[in-house]
Amino acid sequence: MNAPVELNQSLVKSWLPARPEDGHKGTFGKVDIIAGSEGYTGAPVLAARAAVRGGTGLVFLQIPRCVYPIVAVKCDEAMPSPLPDQGGKVSGEALPLILERAKGCDAILIGPGLGRSGESDRLVRTLTEQLEPPLVLDADGLNALDGHITILRGRSGPTVLTPHDGEFARLTGHWPGENRQAEALALAEQTGAVVVLKGHRTVIAEPGGSLCVNTTGNAGMAKGGSGDVLAGLTVSLMAQGMDAFRAAAAAVWIHGSAGNLCRDEMGERAMAPSDLISHFGAVLKPLEEQEKCKCT
């Protein structure tokens, strides 16, 4: 295990890809998000808004037909489309539609608010095996791999897993112990994926042994929806060309820094996950200004 690196503004700035002045929507990546189910309509919207605010050129959002009217009315920049559903969740009949959309995308996110059924779990596992673009698995995208994590080894493209402690336990069969860095690294080595073990001092590990530890963020972020925001930002950075490890680490730092701005502005109790997204600009703008100053 390599010595862990503590994330900071300078490091994240050095990783972010430049945005050329003659760039267009395609230059800055295309994301597809497979998410949502009956009763969980906020998660896909938060993830999609985070992906847009993170700088992606185009964000597609594929959701079960039964919740399409609810989600679509909340989407201005992201482009939602309905998928076949069963029992309030996406059905296996959605497979060809998702695979077709993925052909034109630079990174895929599966999981926010997806819900669980035998059919939807099987669909997630099939997609994990067949999708070629970089993939982020979050929430029920992770839970669907309970007992099946060996399929991650067969993926051709890079993968990011974003478990909190409970999801980590479902994947591994045990709760992370006191040495969270070693636990995250062990899962990364087992799966071949980048692992974001969320919580106080989130750990980001990659199979080669590299580790980052984040110190931004606060207890006001401990609310449903914060993880959806992080997942959307992570897939956004991956679609813009960042490698999986750096994209995940940068997203965690930006996410936590936005959380600290929210805390300073409104306090920990009142802040909400949607506020994180609205504060991305205040975190990212200084990084862009540093970049321009350095080049003149």
Short mmCIF file of all heavy atoms in Angstrom, two decimals, residues 5-56:
data_model
loop_
_atom_site.label_atom_id
_atom_site.label_comp_id
_atom_site.label_asym_id
_atom_site.label_seq_id
_atom_site.Cartn_x
_atom_site.Cartn_y
_atom_site.Cartn_z
N VAL A 5 -2.34 10.03 0.03
CA VAL A 5 -2.18 11.44 -0.33
C VAL A 5 -3.41 12.19 0.16
O VAL A 5 -4.55 11.76 -0.10
CB VAL A 5 -2.03 11.61 -1.86
CG1 VAL A 5 -2.02 13.09 -2.24
CG2 VAL A 5 -0.77 10.92 -2.34
N GLU A 6 -3.21 13.29 0.85
CA GLU A 6 -4.33 14.11 1.30
C GLU A 6 -4.73 15.07 0.18
O GLU A 6 -3.90 15.82 -0.33
CB GLU A 6 -3.96 14.88 2.56
CG GLU A 6 -5.13 15.63 3.17
CD GLU A 6 -4.78 16.25 4.52
OE1 GLU A 6 -4.37 15.50 5.42
OE2 GLU A 6 -4.93 17.49 4.66
N LEU A 7 -5.97 15.04 -0.19
CA LEU A 7 -6.45 15.89 -1.28
C LEU A 7 -6.43 17.35 -0.89
O LEU A 7 -6.69 17.71 0.26
CB LEU A 7 -7.88 15.48 -1.68
CG LEU A 7 -8.01 14.09 -2.31
CD1 LEU A 7 -9.47 13.69 -2.40
CD2 LEU A 7 -7.37 14.05 -3.68
N ASN A 8 -6.13 18.20 -1.86
CA ASN A 8 -6.14 19.64 -1.64
C ASN A 8 -6.45 20.36 -2.94
O ASN A 8 -6.49 19.74 -4.02
CB ASN A 8 -4.80 20.12 -1.05
CG ASN A 8 -3.62 19.77 -1.94
OD1 ASN A 8 -3.56 20.15 -3.10
ND2 ASN A 8 -2.67 19.01 -1.40
N GLN A 9 -6.65 21.66 -2.86
CA GLN A 9 -7.04 22.44 -4.03
C GLN A 9 -5.99 22.39 -5.13
O GLN A 9 -6.32 22.23 -6.31
CB GLN A 9 -7.29 23.90 -3.62
CG GLN A 9 -7.81 24.76 -4.76
CD GLN A 9 -7.91 26.22 -4.39
OE1 GLN A 9 -6.93 26.82 -3.97
NE2 GLN A 9 -9.11 26.78 -4.52
N SER A 10 -4.73 22.51 -4.78
CA SER A 10 -3.67 22.52 -5.78
C SER A 10 -3.62 21.21 -6.55
O SER A 10 -3.46 21.20 -7.79
CB SER A 10 -2.32 22.80 -5.10
OG SER A 10 -1.27 22.76 -6.04
N LEU A 11 -3.75 20.11 -5.85
CA LEU A 11 -3.69 18.80 -6.50
C LEU A 11 -4.88 18.62 -7.44
O LEU A 11 -4.71 18.20 -8.59
CB LEU A 11 -3.68 17.70 -5.44
CG LEU A 11 -3.52 16.26 -5.93
CD1 LEU A 11 -2.21 16.08 -6.67
CD2 LEU A 11 -3.61 15.30 -4.75
N VAL A 12 -6.06 18.93 -6.98
CA VAL A 12 -7.26 18.78 -7.81
C VAL A 12 -7.17 19.68 -9.04
O VAL A 12 -7.51 19.28 -10.15
CB VAL A 12 -8.53 19.07 -6.99
CG1 VAL A 12 -9.76 19.12 -7.89
CG2 VAL A 12 -8.71 18.02 -5.90
N LYS A 13 -6.68 20.90 -8.84
CA LYS A 13 -6.53 21.81 -9.97
C LYS A 13 -5.60 21.24 -11.03
O LYS A 13 -5.86 21.35 -12.24
CB LYS A 13 -6.00 23.16 -9.46
CG LYS A 13 -5.86 24.23 -10.54
CD LYS A 13 -4.46 24.26 -11.12
CE LYS A 13 -4.41 25.21 -12.31
NZ LYS A 13 -3.09 25.15 -13.00
N SER A 14 -4.54 20.59 -10.60
CA SER A 14 -3.57 20.03 -11.55
C SER A 14 -4.15 18.87 -12.34
O SER A 14 -3.65 18.54 -13.42
CB SER A 14 -2.31 19.58 -10.81
OG SER A 14 -2.54 18.41 -10.04
N TRP A 15 -5.20 18.24 -11.81
CA TRP A 15 -5.81 17.11 -12.49
C TRP A 15 -6.90 17.50 -13.47
O TRP A 15 -7.16 16.78 -14.44
CB TRP A 15 -6.44 16.16 -11.46
CG TRP A 15 -5.47 15.39 -10.63
CD1 TRP A 15 -4.14 15.19 -10.86
CD2 TRP A 15 -5.78 14.69 -9.41
NE1 TRP A 15 -3.60 14.42 -9.87
CE2 TRP A 15 -4.57 14.09 -8.97
CE3 TRP A 15 -6.93 14.51 -8.67
CZ2 TRP A 15 -4.51 13.32 -7.80
CZ3 TRP A 15 -6.89 13.75 -7.53
CH2 TRP A 15 -5.68 13.16 -7.10
N LEU A 16 -7.59 18.60 -13.23
CA LEU A 16 -8.75 18.94 -14.05
C LEU A 16 -8.35 19.20 -15.50
O LEU A 16 -7.37 19.90 -15.76
CB LEU A 16 -9.46 20.18 -13.49
CG LEU A 16 -10.22 20.00 -12.18
CD1 LEU A 16 -10.83 21.33 -11.75
CD2 LEU A 16 -11.32 18.94 -12.31
N PRO A 17 -9.09 18.64 -16.45
CA PRO A 17 -8.75 18.88 -17.86
C PRO A 17 -9.06 20.31 -18.27
O PRO A 17 -10.00 20.93 -17.76
CB PRO A 17 -9.65 17.89 -18.60
CG PRO A 17 -10.82 17.67 -17.68
CD PRO A 17 -10.26 17.77 -16.29
N ALA A 18 -8.26 20.83 -19.18
CA ALA A 18 -8.49 22.17 -19.70
C ALA A 18 -9.76 22.18 -20.56
O ALA A 18 -10.16 21.15 -21.11
CB ALA A 18 -7.29 22.63 -20.52
N ARG A 19 -10.36 23.35 -20.66
CA ARG A 19 -11.54 23.51 -21.51
C ARG A 19 -11.16 24.44 -22.67
O ARG A 19 -11.13 25.66 -22.52
CB ARG A 19 -12.72 24.08 -20.73
CG ARG A 19 -13.25 23.12 -19.68
CD ARG A 19 -14.42 23.69 -18.92
NE ARG A 19 -15.65 23.79 -19.69
CZ ARG A 19 -16.53 22.79 -19.84
NH1 ARG A 19 -16.31 21.61 -19.29
NH2 ARG A 19 -17.64 22.97 -20.55
N PRO A 20 -10.82 23.86 -23.82
CA PRO A 20 -10.39 24.69 -24.95
C PRO A 20 -11.46 25.67 -25.40
O PRO A 20 -12.66 25.36 -25.35
CB PRO A 20 -10.07 23.65 -26.04
CG PRO A 20 -10.82 22.42 -25.64
CD PRO A 20 -10.85 22.44 -24.16
N GLU A 21 -11.04 26.84 -25.82
CA GLU A 21 -11.98 27.88 -26.21
C GLU A 21 -12.83 27.48 -27.41
O GLU A 21 -13.95 27.96 -27.57
CB GLU A 21 -11.23 29.18 -26.50
CG GLU A 21 -10.61 29.81 -25.25
CD GLU A 21 -9.97 31.15 -25.55
OE1 GLU A 21 -10.00 31.58 -26.72
OE2 GLU A 21 -9.45 31.78 -24.61
N ASP A 22 -12.28 26.61 -28.26
CA ASP A 22 -13.05 26.20 -29.45
C ASP A 22 -13.78 24.88 -29.21
O ASP A 22 -14.23 24.23 -30.15
CB ASP A 22 -12.13 26.08 -30.66
CG ASP A 22 -11.02 25.06 -30.46
OD1 ASP A 22 -10.84 24.58 -29.32
OD2 ASP A 22 -10.31 24.74 -31.44
N GLY A 23 -13.94 24.50 -27.95
CA GLY A 23 -14.63 23.26 -27.64
C GLY A 23 -16.13 23.36 -27.90
O GLY A 23 -16.70 24.44 -27.97
N HIS A 24 -16.76 22.20 -28.04
CA HIS A 24 -18.22 22.14 -28.24
C HIS A 24 -18.78 21.06 -27.31
O HIS A 24 -18.04 20.49 -26.49
CB HIS A 24 -18.55 21.83 -29.70
CG HIS A 24 -17.83 20.63 -30.25
ND1 HIS A 24 -18.24 19.33 -30.00
CD2 HIS A 24 -16.70 20.54 -31.01
CE1 HIS A 24 -17.41 18.49 -30.59
NE2 HIS A 24 -16.47 19.19 -31.21
N LYS A 25 -20.08 20.79 -27.41
CA LYS A 25 -20.71 19.84 -26.49
C LYS A 25 -20.00 18.49 -26.49
O LYS A 25 -19.78 17.88 -25.43
CB LYS A 25 -22.19 19.66 -26.84
CG LYS A 25 -23.06 20.86 -26.51
CD LYS A 25 -24.49 20.64 -26.92
CE LYS A 25 -24.67 20.68 -28.43
NZ LYS A 25 -26.10 20.66 -28.84
N GLY A 26 -19.65 18.02 -27.66
CA GLY A 26 -18.98 16.73 -27.74
C GLY A 26 -17.61 16.73 -27.12
O GLY A 26 -17.15 15.70 -26.60
N THR A 27 -16.94 17.87 -27.15
CA THR A 27 -15.60 17.97 -26.56
C THR A 27 -15.61 17.65 -25.08
O THR A 27 -14.67 17.07 -24.54
CB THR A 27 -15.04 19.39 -26.76
OG1 THR A 27 -15.09 19.74 -28.14
CG2 THR A 27 -13.61 19.50 -26.25
N PHE A 28 -16.68 18.04 -24.41
CA PHE A 28 -16.72 17.95 -22.95
C PHE A 28 -17.49 16.73 -22.44
O PHE A 28 -17.84 16.66 -21.28
CB PHE A 28 -17.30 19.24 -22.39
CG PHE A 28 -16.52 20.45 -22.84
CD1 PHE A 28 -17.11 21.45 -23.59
CD2 PHE A 28 -15.17 20.56 -22.55
CE1 PHE A 28 -16.38 22.55 -24.03
CE2 PHE A 28 -14.43 21.65 -22.98
CZ PHE A 28 -15.03 22.65 -23.73
N GLY A 29 -17.70 15.77 -23.32
CA GLY A 29 -18.19 14.47 -22.89
C GLY A 29 -19.69 14.31 -22.87
O GLY A 29 -20.45 15.28 -22.75
N LYS A 30 -20.10 13.05 -22.97
CA LYS A 30 -21.51 12.68 -22.92
C LYS A 30 -21.69 11.63 -21.83
O LYS A 30 -20.97 10.64 -21.79
CB LYS A 30 -21.98 12.12 -24.27
CG LYS A 30 -21.85 13.11 -25.42
CD LYS A 30 -22.24 12.46 -26.74
CE LYS A 30 -22.02 13.41 -27.91
NZ LYS A 30 -22.35 12.77 -29.21
N VAL A 31 -22.67 11.87 -20.98
CA VAL A 31 -22.96 11.00 -19.85
C VAL A 31 -24.33 10.37 -20.03
O VAL A 31 -25.26 11.03 -20.51
CB VAL A 31 -22.91 11.80 -18.52
CG1 VAL A 31 -23.69 11.10 -17.42
CG2 VAL A 31 -21.48 12.04 -18.09
N ASP A 32 -24.46 9.12 -19.63
CA ASP A 32 -25.77 8.50 -19.51
C ASP A 32 -25.95 8.03 -18.07
O ASP A 32 -25.04 7.44 -17.48
CB ASP A 32 -25.93 7.32 -20.46
CG ASP A 32 -27.35 6.77 -20.48
OD1 ASP A 32 -28.28 7.55 -20.19
OD2 ASP A 32 -27.53 5.58 -20.80
N ILE A 33 -27.11 8.32 -17.50
CA ILE A 33 -27.43 7.93 -16.12
C ILE A 33 -28.65 7.03 -16.15
O ILE A 33 -29.70 7.42 -16.67
CB ILE A 33 -27.70 9.18 -15.25
CG1 ILE A 33 -26.45 10.07 -15.22
CG2 ILE A 33 -28.12 8.78 -13.84
CD1 ILE A 33 -26.68 11.41 -14.54
N ILE A 34 -28.51 5.82 -15.60
CA ILE A 34 -29.63 4.89 -15.49
C ILE A 34 -30.02 4.88 -14.02
O ILE A 34 -29.24 4.43 -13.16
CB ILE A 34 -29.25 3.48 -15.98
CG1 ILE A 34 -28.86 3.52 -17.45
CG2 ILE A 34 -30.42 2.52 -15.78
CD1 ILE A 34 -27.39 3.61 -17.71
N ALA A 35 -31.21 5.38 -13.71
CA ALA A 35 -31.54 5.64 -12.31
C ALA A 35 -33.04 5.75 -12.13
O ALA A 35 -33.81 5.78 -13.09
CB ALA A 35 -30.86 6.94 -11.86
N GLY A 36 -33.45 5.84 -10.85
CA GLY A 36 -34.83 6.14 -10.51
C GLY A 36 -35.74 4.93 -10.44
O GLY A 36 -35.51 3.89 -11.08
N SER A 37 -36.79 5.06 -9.65
CA SER A 37 -37.84 4.06 -9.53
C SER A 37 -39.03 4.72 -8.85
O SER A 37 -38.93 5.87 -8.39
CB SER A 37 -37.36 2.83 -8.73
OG SER A 37 -37.00 3.21 -7.41
N GLU A 38 -40.12 4.02 -8.76
CA GLU A 38 -41.31 4.57 -8.10
C GLU A 38 -40.97 4.87 -6.64
O GLU A 38 -40.50 4.01 -5.91
CB GLU A 38 -42.45 3.57 -8.19
CG GLU A 38 -43.79 4.15 -7.81
CD GLU A 38 -44.91 3.17 -8.11
OE1 GLU A 38 -44.91 2.08 -7.53
OE2 GLU A 38 -45.75 3.48 -8.98
N GLY A 39 -41.21 6.11 -6.23
CA GLY A 39 -40.89 6.53 -4.88
C GLY A 39 -39.51 7.13 -4.73
O GLY A 39 -39.19 7.71 -3.68
N TYR A 40 -38.68 7.01 -5.76
CA TYR A 40 -37.31 7.55 -5.71
C TYR A 40 -37.05 8.37 -6.97
O TYR A 40 -36.30 7.97 -7.86
CB TYR A 40 -36.29 6.42 -5.58
CG TYR A 40 -36.39 5.68 -4.28
CD1 TYR A 40 -37.19 4.54 -4.17
CD2 TYR A 40 -35.71 6.12 -3.16
CE1 TYR A 40 -37.30 3.86 -2.96
CE2 TYR A 40 -35.81 5.45 -1.95
CZ TYR A 40 -36.61 4.33 -1.86
OH TYR A 40 -36.72 3.67 -0.66
N THR A 41 -37.71 9.51 -7.04
CA THR A 41 -37.61 10.36 -8.22
C THR A 41 -36.61 11.50 -8.04
O THR A 41 -36.23 12.14 -9.02
CB THR A 41 -38.98 10.96 -8.57
OG1 THR A 41 -39.49 11.67 -7.44
CG2 THR A 41 -39.97 9.85 -8.93
N GLY A 42 -36.19 11.77 -6.81
CA GLY A 42 -35.23 12.85 -6.58
C GLY A 42 -33.82 12.46 -6.93
O GLY A 42 -33.04 13.28 -7.45
N ALA A 43 -33.45 11.21 -6.66
CA ALA A 43 -32.07 10.76 -6.86
C ALA A 43 -31.58 10.94 -8.29
O ALA A 43 -30.48 11.48 -8.52
CB ALA A 43 -31.93 9.31 -6.42
N PRO A 44 -32.35 10.50 -9.31
CA PRO A 44 -31.85 10.70 -10.68
C PRO A 44 -31.72 12.17 -11.06
O PRO A 44 -30.80 12.54 -11.81
CB PRO A 44 -32.91 10.00 -11.54
CG PRO A 44 -34.12 9.88 -10.69
CD PRO A 44 -33.62 9.75 -9.29
N VAL A 45 -32.60 13.01 -10.54
CA VAL A 45 -32.52 14.43 -10.85
C VAL A 45 -31.27 15.05 -10.23
O VAL A 45 -30.55 15.83 -10.88
CB VAL A 45 -33.79 15.16 -10.36
CG1 VAL A 45 -33.66 16.66 -10.56
CG2 VAL A 45 -35.02 14.63 -11.10
N LEU A 46 -31.00 14.73 -8.98
CA LEU A 46 -29.80 15.25 -8.32
C LEU A 46 -28.53 14.81 -9.05
O LEU A 46 -27.61 15.60 -9.27
CB LEU A 46 -29.75 14.80 -6.86
CG LEU A 46 -30.74 15.47 -5.92
CD1 LEU A 46 -30.75 14.74 -4.58
CD2 LEU A 46 -30.39 16.95 -5.71
N ALA A 47 -28.47 13.54 -9.43
CA ALA A 47 -27.30 13.04 -10.14
C ALA A 47 -27.12 13.74 -11.48
O ALA A 47 -26.00 14.12 -11.86
CB ALA A 47 -27.42 11.53 -10.34
N ALA A 48 -28.22 13.93 -12.20
CA ALA A 48 -28.14 14.57 -13.51
C ALA A 48 -27.74 16.03 -13.39
O ALA A 48 -26.91 16.54 -14.16
CB ALA A 48 -29.48 14.45 -14.24
N ARG A 49 -28.31 16.74 -12.41
CA ARG A 49 -27.94 18.14 -12.22
C ARG A 49 -26.48 18.28 -11.83
O ARG A 49 -25.79 19.21 -12.27
CB ARG A 49 -28.84 18.76 -11.16
CG ARG A 49 -30.28 19.00 -11.62
CD ARG A 49 -31.14 19.55 -10.50
NE ARG A 49 -32.50 19.81 -10.94
CZ ARG A 49 -33.50 20.15 -10.14
NH1 ARG A 49 -33.29 20.26 -8.83
NH2 ARG A 49 -34.71 20.37 -10.63
N ALA A 50 -25.98 17.35 -11.01
CA ALA A 50 -24.57 17.40 -10.63
C ALA A 50 -23.67 17.16 -11.83
O ALA A 50 -22.61 17.79 -11.96
CB ALA A 50 -24.30 16.36 -9.54
N ALA A 51 -24.08 16.24 -12.71
CA ALA A 51 -23.29 15.97 -13.90
C ALA A 51 -23.23 17.18 -14.82
O ALA A 51 -22.18 17.52 -15.39
CB ALA A 51 -23.86 14.77 -14.65
N VAL A 52 -24.35 17.88 -14.96
CA VAL A 52 -24.38 19.10 -15.77
C VAL A 52 -23.49 20.17 -15.15
O VAL A 52 -22.65 20.77 -15.82
CB VAL A 52 -25.83 19.62 -15.91
CG1 VAL A 52 -25.85 21.01 -16.54
CG2 VAL A 52 -26.67 18.66 -16.74
N ARG A 53 -23.66 20.41 -13.86
CA ARG A 53 -22.90 21.45 -13.18
C ARG A 53 -21.42 21.10 -13.11
O ARG A 53 -20.57 22.00 -13.01
CB ARG A 53 -23.47 21.66 -11.78
CG ARG A 53 -22.91 22.87 -11.05
CD ARG A 53 -23.41 24.17 -11.63
NE ARG A 53 -24.82 24.41 -11.33
CZ ARG A 53 -25.46 25.51 -11.65
NH1 ARG A 53 -24.85 26.50 -12.29
NH2 ARG A 53 -26.75 25.65 -11.35
N GLY A 54 -21.10 19.82 -13.21
CA GLY A 54 -19.69 19.41 -13.19
C GLY A 54 -18.97 19.67 -14.49
O GLY A 54 -17.75 19.50 -14.56
N GLY A 55 -19.70 20.04 -15.55
CA GLY A 55 -19.04 20.45 -16.79
C GLY A 55 -19.25 19.55 -17.98
O GLY A 55 -18.68 19.81 -19.05
N THR A 56 -20.07 18.52 -17.87
CA THR A 56 -20.31 17.63 -19.00
C THR A 56 -21.05 18.34 -20.12
O THR A 56 -21.93 19.16 -19.88
CB THR A 56 -21.14 16.41 -18.54
OG1 THR A 56 -20.50 15.80 -17.43
CG2 THR A 56 -21.28 15.40 -19.65
#
